[in-house]
Amino acid sequence: LAAARYLADRDLDAHVRRVAGVYGERRDAMLAGLAQALPEGATWTRPEGGMFLWVRLPSSYDTTVLLPQVVARDVAYVPGAPFYAGEPDRSTLRLCFVTQTPQEIGEGLRRLGEGLSG
């Protein structure tokens, strides 16, 4: 009841529209830089909502093993393997696009590419 009363006093629809616009701009910034940052053969989703996109690197990549060398460049991702109920695809990862500005996303993708290339 307390949450309902709190939300009733706010224009939640306007807030959602504003946040969706910001998230969309950040998603588009990430999508624009992926081809240059990721190795040849990588594929990714184009989310219509949410906060993450899903990447599949070539099968020779293990994103869990590679994570420390990416983190050493002050950037991170979530390895995809834990999201599988069955046999994991170790070449997958999840990228969050909502917490950084488009400029920071560009720099983060540059660092990600460096980290993935060794």
Side-chain angles (χ1 to χ4, degrees):
L1 183 57
R5 286 185 180 159
Y6 174 82
L7 292 173
D9 291 338
R10 282 149 182 75
D11 187 353
L12 190 56
D13 291 336
H15 174 73
V16 168
R17 283 190 301 276
R18 184 182 64 75
V19 169
V22 171
Y23 286 5
E25 178 184 23
R26 292 173 180 195
R27 177 207 57 205
D28 293 347
M30 183 169 282
L31 289 170
L34 284 174
Q36 185 175 354
L38 298 179
E40 187 174 330
T43 60
W44 50 87
T45 62
R46 184 186 192 286
E48 294 301 318
M51 303 184 305
F52 302 94
L53 60 86
W54 190 255
V55 174
R56 178 170 279 111
L57 301 177
S59 61
S60 60
Y61 288 79
D62 183 328
T63 61
T64 301
V65 171
L66 289 168
L67 184 58
Q69 68 189 46
V70 170
V71 169
R73 289 165 173 81
D74 294 323
V75 68
Y77 56 78
V78 179
F83 293 96
Y84 288 83
E87 184 66 28
D89 182 343
R90 298 196 174 281
S91 67
T92 57
L93 59 99
R94 192 169 92 152
L95 293 172
C96 178
F97 53 81
V98 301
T99 57
Q100 306 301 321
T101 67
Q103 295 77 22
E104 291 169 329
I105 288 170
E107 175 62 17
L109 288 174
R110 185 189 68 73
R111 293 178 188 189
L112 174 64
E114 289 176 354
L116 292 175
S117 65

